[in-house]
Amino acid sequence: MRYAVVADLHGRRKAWRRVLGDAQQRGADQVVCLGDYLEAKVPWRRHTAATHWELTDVVEPDPALWRELAGVDLVLGNQEWRIRDLLRSEQIFGDLDVLLAAPETRMLGAAMTMHGHQFSWEDGPARPGWPAVFYPRLVELPDVPILMVGHSHQTLLLDLPSLGETNGPAGVMVAHRRPVIPGVPTPVDPSGARRLLVNVGPARGKPSHWLLYDDAASEVTFHEVMPGRSNC
């Protein structure tokens, strides 16, 4: 199975169409959205479920986008959680009900997918010539061979130590960063002997990021697509 994995769309219909078109051209069999496919309009400082919120105050209705998203595999993100928390049950129906009822995790072969808000993120170690990124707190990650996430709006590949392995100085767990090269496949190990974290990158931007995960070939390929064309 060849999965097109998308994260952090934040309600951008044009970005969704760019990614979907590129994924179809590259032969993806199935599309999976790793959360934050919607955008909550209420900021955290005003977030209270006790307030009576109108639907349009909480999320911008987009029936066409919602209908398309309801037809793919979804993983709940923190934006969807906030929207669901602010609305009353009678306000959630039709395609929106489908979008807000997604599970928090989904297995794609050997890979577990989740949005990534379930664990903490911190500044990653500096490395000359590499852009700064956030690293997840390793002790909070599930013990799976491959973990695919979004949330932090970055592309990232991390070789992870075995759970509880103190492979760094002062008895700490250390992850090793791999380069991310769009369009170039990266082998993954479904056996779990070499654990890997894959951060997909945001679909909402320019370029829009997405990931092709070939379960049969055991490889992932990062892709970027600009408005008006498909490219690597």
Side-chain angles (χ1 to χ4, degrees):
M1 182 72 75
R2 290 161 58 86
Y3 300 95
V5 185
V6 185
D8 299 290
L9 181 65
H10 290 271
R12 305 302 202 272
R13 189 198 306 180
K14 290 182 179 179
W16 166 249
R17 299 281 170 76
R18 283 198 297 271
V19 167
L20 189 62
D22 202 38
Q24 291 172 341
Q25 288 182 24
R26 298 182 190 278
D29 302 307
Q30 190 168 333
V31 180
V32 184
C33 290
L34 303 189
D36 283 9
Y37 34 87
L38 301 180
E39 175 77 6
K41 296 169 66 174
V42 179
W44 273 114
R45 59 183 172 81
R46 297 181 59 211
H47 185 111
T48 168
T51 301
H52 177 82
W53 296 98
E54 295 296 334
L55 175 65
T56 53
D57 293 332
V58 176
V59 62
E60 192 67 41
D62 189 336
L65 177 62
W66 291 4
R67 184 165 50 252
E68 292 182 24
L69 288 172
V72 304
D73 289 333
L74 304 171
V75 175
L76 198 73
N78 55 286
Q79 295 288 328
E80 291 77 47
W81 179 89
R82 289 172 61 194
I83 293 168
R84 187 176 65 186
D85 193 53
L86 292 170
L87 295 175
R88 302 181 308 281
S89 58
E90 61 267 24
Q91 294 173 291
I92 303 172
F93 57 89
D95 291 328
L96 183 60
D97 188 26
V98 175
L99 302 187
L100 299 183
E104 288 206 17
T105 63
R106 187 181 291 274
M107 296 301 299
L108 307 180
M112 173 183 280
T113 65
M114 59 198 313
H115 182 58
H117 65 287
Q118 296 92 338
F119 44 82
S120 307
W121 293 81
E122 51 199 8
D123 289 336
R127 185 167 175 179
W130 290 52
V133 296
F134 296 107
Y135 275 33
R137 288 203 66 195
L138 303 185
V139 296
E140 299 180 16
L141 300 182
D143 187 18
V144 293
I146 306 164
L147 179 63
M148 296 185 181
V149 300
H151 187 55
S152 60
H153 289 215
Q154 63 185 2
T155 55
L156 182 67
L157 281 172
L158 285 181
D159 283 319
L160 304 176
S162 299
L163 194 65
E165 178 185 355
T166 54
N167 60 336
V172 298
M173 299 172 67
V174 175
H176 297 285
R177 187 175 172 188
R178 292 201 219 175
V180 172
I181 306 173
V184 177
T186 297
V188 299
D189 185 357
S191 72
R194 187 180 185 184
R195 297 171 67 218
L196 183 70
L197 178 131
V198 183
N199 199 321
V200 178
R204 65 173 290 177
K206 299 177 183 179
S208 294
H209 298 266
W210 67 281
L211 179 90
L212 184 64
Y213 171 42
D214 191 324
D215 180 40
S218 296
E219 63 184 25
V220 297
T221 308
F222 289 86
H223 290 288
E224 301 175 355
V225 55
M226 291 294 292
R229 69 179 190 275
S230 298
N231 65 324
C232 292

